[in-house]
Amino acid sequence: EVQLVESGGGLVQAGGSLRLSCAASGFTFDDSAIGWFRQAPGKEREGVSCIVSSDGSTYYADSVKGRFTISRDNAKNTVYLQMNSLKPEDTAVYYCAAAAYMCSYYYTQYDYWGQGTRVTVSS
């Protein structure tokens, strides 16, 4: 069974840090691009970051550049999102998703999704 399981969310004060993890199983992880998306209540889902492979390209939304870092550990079938200097506007449910080979700006191009992990940043 295909699974992507996010963890690491929680409540943090503005300026703090969190590291999200996405553990994958049931598909060919090494052939997949893993993206992070987030969705706040009443808002559209938006792309945050994506990584193709351990030695592939990475992408970041303008709103998180310089603050978030995506990384990948193929030996553990896990992708991480290190989030620093968190702001209240980062508050959302964060989802990881897998696409075949390539990252995409469009969430419809991702085949598998995790259940999400909630991030709340207080002011």
Side-chain angles (χ1 to χ4, degrees), residues 66-84:
R67 298 189 298 121
F68 291 10
T69 303
I70 191 169
S71 61
R72 182 168 183 154
D73 186 343
N74 286 348
K76 296 181 179 180
N77 284 6
T78 301
V79 167
Y80 305 96
L81 186 68
Q82 179 67 45
M83 306 187 297
N84 298 327

Side-chain angles (χ1 to χ4, degrees), residues 16-86:
S17 298
L18 287 172
R19 188 179 73 160
L20 305 184
S21 298
C22 174
S25 62
F27 64 98
T28 307
F29 181 82
D30 293 354
D31 293 339
S32 299
I34 305 296
W36 286 97
F37 292 79
R38 66 187 182 187
Q39 188 165 21
K43 295 185 177 181
E44 297 291 327
R45 187 177 348 183
E46 63 174 337
V48 176
S49 186
C50 187
I51 186 166
V52 175
S53 65
S54 296
D55 56 354
S57 58
T58 59
Y59 303 89
Y60 298 94
D62 288 343
S63 59
V64 306
K65 286 181 179 177
R67 298 189 298 121
F68 291 10
T69 303
I70 191 169
S71 61
R72 182 168 183 154
D73 186 343
N74 286 348
K76 296 181 179 180
N77 284 6
T78 301
V79 167
Y80 305 96
L81 186 68
Q82 179 67 45
M83 306 187 297
N84 298 327
S85 301
L86 283 162

